[in-house]
Amino acid sequence: MAASTLGSVCRPLQLGVPGLCRRRPGPRSMWARVLRFPGPAVTRRSVAATSGLGASGTDHYCLELLRKRDYESYLCSLLLPAESRSSAFALRAFNVELAQVKDSVSEKTIGLMRMQFWKKTVEEIYHDNPPHQPVAIELWKAVRRHNLTKRWLMKIIDEREKNLDDKAYRNIQELEHYAENTQSSLLYLTLEILGIKDVHADHAASHIGKAQGIVTCLRATPYHGSKRKVFLPMDICMQHGVSQEDFLRRTQDKNVRDVVYDIASQAHLHLKHARSFHKSVPVKAFPAFLQTVSLEDYLKKIQQVDFDIFHPSLQKKNTLLPLSLYIQSWRKRY
């Protein structure tokens, strides 16, 4: 989608969750219920003989990894049905393991070796022979329990592996392609965990995943800039006459904000498309899409600061996110 069709920076985005300010959660005890999110279902059954850890040990490892490294996904997973939670934790922990490879290695060769380990691990999981690694063991159990599609897992690894090159996206379509193969693939697998097979749910998952990938790229820009890296789509930067150095210097001029506006608008369009399927998507699929709450929150905030991607308010943790997620879940919306 050409960036030029996204409009000028002076036109406000039509953001916001309809009705959220008009309907207030009734019972005062809702705060207490949010603060007491249900924990993962811990089973006492032993893991396969190939594992040296008990089931509760591998469960707990995935839960803690997610809580520390991907708090938003941790909160969203807690609101899934009890029978799906442990598998969702395993899937998201698997994604965390892959995502942190890029930042934890100093040489691409080491990163490629780590990715090769996970490719081999997935192959072994589908041969019922997972390695002695807690995330692998929990993922194996999820695959057995829900018959997860191997292709989606391998797509995530392959795309993360390509992303080790540390190159900026050439255009918005390249960023969307990356998001489709990573974030959307995670959502397809989450739908499988929930037992959902529906073409409308898949379409919504595709758009939400792309929105997630775009917003993640925006949110990470200050962090990447601190490491002298910029990954924002080059075509949109060139269209507005903005260089990577402008972002590294944290330039505040209108052209830089125009770039951010165009990219944020693309994420908003994907959310809008995803919600256009709302009436056709099975209600059982809605918990898989709770991450739209944090996406909406970021897009609102960046609009409020006139698309200043380096504004300090964008780096603050949203302390009301647990409540917002609970309300969205209660209202059965995405």
Side-chain angles (χ1 to χ4, degrees), residues 6-218:
L6 299 178
S8 64
V9 73
C10 59
R11 186 175 70 245
L13 294 175
Q14 298 300 313
L15 299 176
V17 181
L20 185 58
C21 295
R22 296 194 296 272
R23 295 183 62 184
R24 299 176 66 86
R28 188 171 58 182
S29 61
M30 181 174 290
W31 280 99
R33 293 180 67 184
V34 172
L35 295 176
R36 293 197 304 271
F37 267 121
V42 178
T43 174
R44 295 297 179 188
R45 292 174 298 178
S46 62
V47 185
T50 54
S51 168
L53 290 172
S56 60
T58 53
D59 269 356
H60 184 71
Y61 179 91
C62 291
L63 184 150
E64 284 299 306
L65 178 64
L66 199 57
R67 185 178 65 82
K68 293 175 182 177
R69 301 291 184 181
D70 188 0
Y71 187 65
E72 291 177 2
S73 293
Y74 166 75
L75 292 177
C76 291
S77 298
L78 285 172
L79 286 168
L80 293 177
E83 64 274 13
S84 303
R85 254 176 247 144
S86 61
S87 296
F89 282 131
L91 176 62
R92 290 291 174 170
F94 165 72
N95 182 58
V96 169
E97 289 279 6
L98 296 175
Q100 60 189 11
V101 168
K102 187 172 182 177
D103 285 334
S104 63
V105 299
S106 55
E107 297 180 13
K108 182 182 175 181
T109 304
I110 300 173
L112 291 173
M113 291 171 62
R114 294 272 294 276
M115 293 299 182
Q116 188 59 41
F117 165 79
W118 282 108
K119 285 183 180 180
K120 184 179 178 182
T121 294
V122 170
E123 294 291 347
E124 290 173 341
I125 282 173
Y126 281 86
H127 287 90
D128 283 334
N129 186 31
H132 295 222
Q133 204 271 2
V135 174
I137 293 165
E138 286 298 306
L139 187 61
W140 167 70
K141 290 194 290 183
V143 167
R144 281 175 57 106
R145 192 178 299 130
H146 306 286
N147 193 27
L148 300 181
T149 302
K150 178 182 174 183
R151 180 174 77 258
W152 302 128
L153 294 171
M154 296 304 287
K155 273 195 171 189
I156 298 169
I157 300 173
D158 289 340
E159 201 64 36
R160 294 281 189 188
E161 184 178 72
K162 293 175 189 174
N163 199 241
L164 291 174
D165 286 332
D166 259 2
K167 294 180 181 177
Y169 299 103
R170 290 175 295 180
N171 48 53
I172 192 71
Q173 290 80 15
E174 194 171 89
L175 172 54
E176 289 173 333
H177 179 78
Y178 172 78
E180 168 70 28
N181 286 337
T182 53
Q183 300 296 337
S184 297
S185 292
L186 283 170
L187 291 178
Y188 300 147
L189 290 163
T190 304
L191 290 173
E192 290 185 349
I193 288 172
L194 294 173
I196 306 295
K197 292 184 178 180
D198 180 85
V199 65
H200 299 295
D202 288 345
H203 285 159
S206 176
H207 285 293
I208 292 170
K210 289 173 182 174
Q212 175 77 68
I214 293 170
V215 168
T216 299
C217 186
L218 287 171

Side-chain angles (χ1 to χ4, degrees), residues 150-297:
K150 178 182 174 183
R151 180 174 77 258
W152 302 128
L153 294 171
M154 296 304 287
K155 273 195 171 189
I156 298 169
I157 300 173
D158 289 340
E159 201 64 36
R160 294 281 189 188
E161 184 178 72
K162 293 175 189 174
N163 199 241
L164 291 174
D165 286 332
D166 259 2
K167 294 180 181 177
Y169 299 103
R170 290 175 295 180
N171 48 53
I172 192 71
Q173 290 80 15
E174 194 171 89
L175 172 54
E176 289 173 333
H177 179 78
Y178 172 78
E180 168 70 28
N181 286 337
T182 53
Q183 300 296 337
S184 297
S185 292
L186 283 170
L187 291 178
Y188 300 147
L189 290 163
T190 304
L191 290 173
E192 290 185 349
I193 288 172
L194 294 173
I196 306 295
K197 292 184 178 180
D198 180 85
V199 65
H200 299 295
D202 288 345
H203 285 159
S206 176
H207 285 293
I208 292 170
K210 289 173 182 174
Q212 175 77 68
I214 293 170
V215 168
T216 299
C217 186
L218 287 171
R219 291 175 70 175
T221 295
Y223 168 77
H224 290 146
S226 68
K227 296 182 174 295
R228 304 288 300 171
K229 297 175 183 177
V230 178
F231 296 107
L232 297 175
M234 291 189 292
D235 64 333
I236 297 180
C237 292
M238 292 173 64
Q239 178 184 335
H240 294 286
V242 174
S243 67
Q244 289 190 346
E245 193 62 33
D246 290 324
F247 281 98
L248 295 177
R249 291 199 306 263
R250 302 195 170 206
T251 306
Q252 303 288 325
D253 64 28
K254 180 181 180 296
N255 287 356
V256 170
R257 292 172 190 251
D258 285 350
V259 170
V260 176
Y261 172 82
D262 280 1
I263 298 171
S265 294
Q266 193 74 352
H268 171 65
L269 285 176
H270 281 299
L271 277 183
K272 185 177 179 180
H273 286 316
R275 286 170 175 156
S276 71
F277 302 110
H278 184 273
K279 294 182 179 179
S280 303
V281 173
V283 174
K284 283 180 61 179
F286 289 5
F289 303 148
L290 281 172
Q291 67 196 78
T292 56
V293 173
S294 58
L295 300 181
E296 189 85 57
D297 178 67

Side-chain angles (χ1 to χ4, degrees), residues 285-327:
F286 289 5
F289 303 148
L290 281 172
Q291 67 196 78
T292 56
V293 173
S294 58
L295 300 181
E296 189 85 57
D297 178 67
Y298 180 82
L299 292 174
K300 279 184 184 178
K301 287 180 177 177
I302 202 167
Q303 182 186 11
Q304 289 168 356
V305 298
D306 195 23
F307 303 96
D308 176 7
I309 201 170
F310 300 106
H311 197 279
S313 66
L314 299 178
Q315 306 305 316
K316 292 180 181 178
K317 190 174 182 179
N318 180 5
T319 55
L320 292 179
L321 180 60
L323 177 63
S324 300
L325 287 169
Y326 185 87
I327 292 173

